[in-house]
Amino acid sequence: MRETYLPQRAICPQMPAPNSTTAATLQMIDPASLRHILEQHALFKANRPGGRIANLSYIDLTEMKLEGVDLSDANLTGARLYGASLRDSIFLRANMFGCDLRNADLRFARLDRADLRGACLRGANLSAASLIGADLREGQIAFKDDKQGLRLMKHEKRPGELDYAILSGADLSGARMNGALAVSTDFSDANLSGAVMSQAKLRKANLNGAMINGADLSGADVTGATMRGAIMVDTTTSGCNLKEADTADMLEAPIAVFIDDQPLDQLLSEHEQWVKTGGASGARHSFARVDFRLVHTMNGRCLSTLDASDAVFFGMDLSGIELQGANLVNADLRRCNLRGADLRGARLQGAKLNNACLEGANLGPLDLGGGRLIRSDLTGANLCHADLSRADLTRARMIAIINDYMRDKGTNYTLTERE
């Protein structure tokens, strides 16, 4: 667990968040007490003597630096984490009902199966966070007041709990977001597979490239939303006003592909045989603009020099595939598993590699003999949220790439051409 930093000034800043939770419902905590609670929780997680599950309910932790802390299973009901730094933190199964997370930094945080009902995430940054199975439905907390009896606890009295939040590249698969208010929220490249978003208010939301397979969008309001390149297979959209959204280039269920009346898989087999025999048998085919998603398997196949510009491979397992010298210009390789793939000399200009795994992939030069080398070219490729850990990019061309949140630990950039 990383060291917890608490400001030397008062825990509650002099200038409170506008219209914030009533002070009577929140408690101050001194640095030593907070550190003790976190230490006890760490012992609890390790199943060691002296361990105790953390209870931070109704505690004011405004703008605290708690990066990397593990508060799995902790109770943070009604806690205020306004503007807190929570990058890489872990809140698995945590009770965060009614938690104030406005403007918090939750990049790469893990909130799987967390109870976030009624939580206020307005303006929070959850890029690349994991919220698998999280509960983001509406909710309010009632608390006892000696004078007024039961009263509702409210954060800022404005509509929306996810408005303007950043969830780019986040994993929200199976999340419950019934009736969620997410105006102008950034869900670009997010995984919303199986998410329940019925009656959600998604006006002006950015869902570009989002995976919405098997999700429930019934009755959702997507007026002014952008859904360019989104993937919607088996998505429930009854009562959803999709005509009011920008759905250009949306990917729906693939259809059976035949080229000159021959099944696609058969043609791939012929190409593979052509490669393995050095052209003695089989045949080389063009697969430009082909949707490969119905192909049974492509991992480990030998498909060097494949001509597949503008082709669709979205979400496929291409691990260990041999694509030396392949033409993959503008290909859709989002969320593909390219772990250990041989892409030496491949042309990947403008390719979509968002959320793709290229761990250990070889993108070095292709040696043609006689001192001739063909460099891999990723000019203009989109590598947002892609994993290039331990990949070989020797001499590769990486001009004008988009690489927000790209992971490249241990990547070989020897003589790589970059801006």
Side-chain angles (χ1 to χ4, degrees), residues 151-162:
R151 288 194 293 144
L152 286 176
M153 172 182 174
K154 296 181 180 179
H155 295 301
E156 196 171 346
K157 194 173 181 180
R158 286 173 50 191
E161 295 298 326
L162 275 166

Side-chain angles (χ1 to χ4, degrees), residues 31-322:
S33 297
L34 177 56
R35 191 168 289 111
H36 181 61
I37 289 174
L38 295 176
E39 289 171 352
Q40 283 188 313
H41 189 76
L43 291 173
F44 164 78
K45 296 300 296 180
N47 198 26
R48 293 173 59 188
R52 184 177 181 181
I53 194 165
N55 184 358
L56 294 166
S57 56
Y58 304 103
I59 299 295
D60 190 339
L61 299 168
T62 299
E63 295 184 351
M64 292 298 156
K65 187 173 183 181
L66 297 165
E67 295 183 357
V69 297
D70 186 348
L71 283 166
S72 299
D73 302 299
N75 183 6
L76 292 115
T77 302
R80 182 198 283 166
L81 287 153
Y82 183 93
S85 182
L86 303 167
R87 179 173 174 145
D88 294 309
S89 295
I90 304 172
F91 296 96
L92 303 179
R93 301 171 301 278
N95 184 355
M96 304 177 80
F97 195 111
C99 200
D100 184 354
L101 289 157
R102 287 172 296 166
N103 298 327
D105 182 358
L106 284 154
R107 288 174 293 170
F108 303 101
R110 296 171 59 193
L111 297 117
D112 299 349
R113 298 183 298 284
D115 186 350
L116 287 156
R117 286 175 294 165
C120 190
L121 289 152
R122 189 179 304 114
N125 189 343
L126 291 119
S127 294
S130 180
L131 295 100
I132 299 171
D135 194 341
L136 289 150
R137 292 175 292 173
E138 295 176 325
Q140 291 177 309
I141 298 175
F143 63 93
K144 188 175 180 180
D145 184 281
D146 293 334
K147 295 181 179 180
Q148 301 182 36
L150 288 177
R151 288 194 293 144
L152 286 176
M153 172 182 174
K154 296 181 180 179
H155 295 301
E156 196 171 346
K157 194 173 181 180
R158 286 173 50 191
E161 295 298 326
L162 275 166
D163 291 353
Y164 309 104
I166 302 171
L167 289 141
S168 176
D171 190 344
L172 289 143
S173 53
R176 288 174 285 177
M177 302 170 66
N178 319 54
L181 303 176
V183 176
S184 298
T185 299
D186 184 358
F187 291 104
S188 59
D189 295 319
N191 182 1
L192 291 157
S193 299
V196 181
M197 305 173 74
S198 55
Q199 307 300 321
K201 302 297 185 290
L202 298 164
R203 295 186 300 275
K204 297 182 180 179
N206 180 359
L207 289 148
N208 292 339
M211 187 161 66
I212 320 177
N213 296 347
D216 184 0
L217 281 172
S218 56
D221 182 1
V222 294
T223 304
T226 57
M227 305 174 78
R228 287 177 169 266
I231 298 84
M232 293 181 66
V233 179
D234 298 325
T235 304
T236 302
T237 58
S238 58
C240 177
N241 57 333
L242 285 174
K243 292 183 179 179
E244 301 298 323
D246 183 353
T247 58
D249 302 319
M250 181 180 289
L251 286 181
E252 298 182 330
I255 58 174
V257 175
F258 292 84
I259 300 176
D260 296 331
D261 296 325
Q262 296 184 71
L264 175 58
D265 200 50
Q266 179 182 324
L267 296 180
L268 280 172
S269 295
E270 290 180 5
H271 181 91
E272 189 168 19
Q273 186 178 7
W274 177 81
V275 172
K276 289 180 176 179
T277 63
S281 60
R284 187 175 185 228
H285 299 282
S286 174
F287 298 95
R289 296 177 295 281
V290 167
D291 190 335
F292 287 91
R293 286 179 292 163
L294 284 178
V295 175
H296 178 61
T297 179
M298 290 183 73
N299 62 309
R301 298 187 73 164
C302 184
L303 298 168
S304 302
T305 71
L306 187 75
D307 181 7
S309 59
D310 296 288
V312 177
F313 298 88
F314 181 92
M316 293 185 66
D317 182 4
L318 306 175
S319 56
I321 195 170
E322 294 183 31

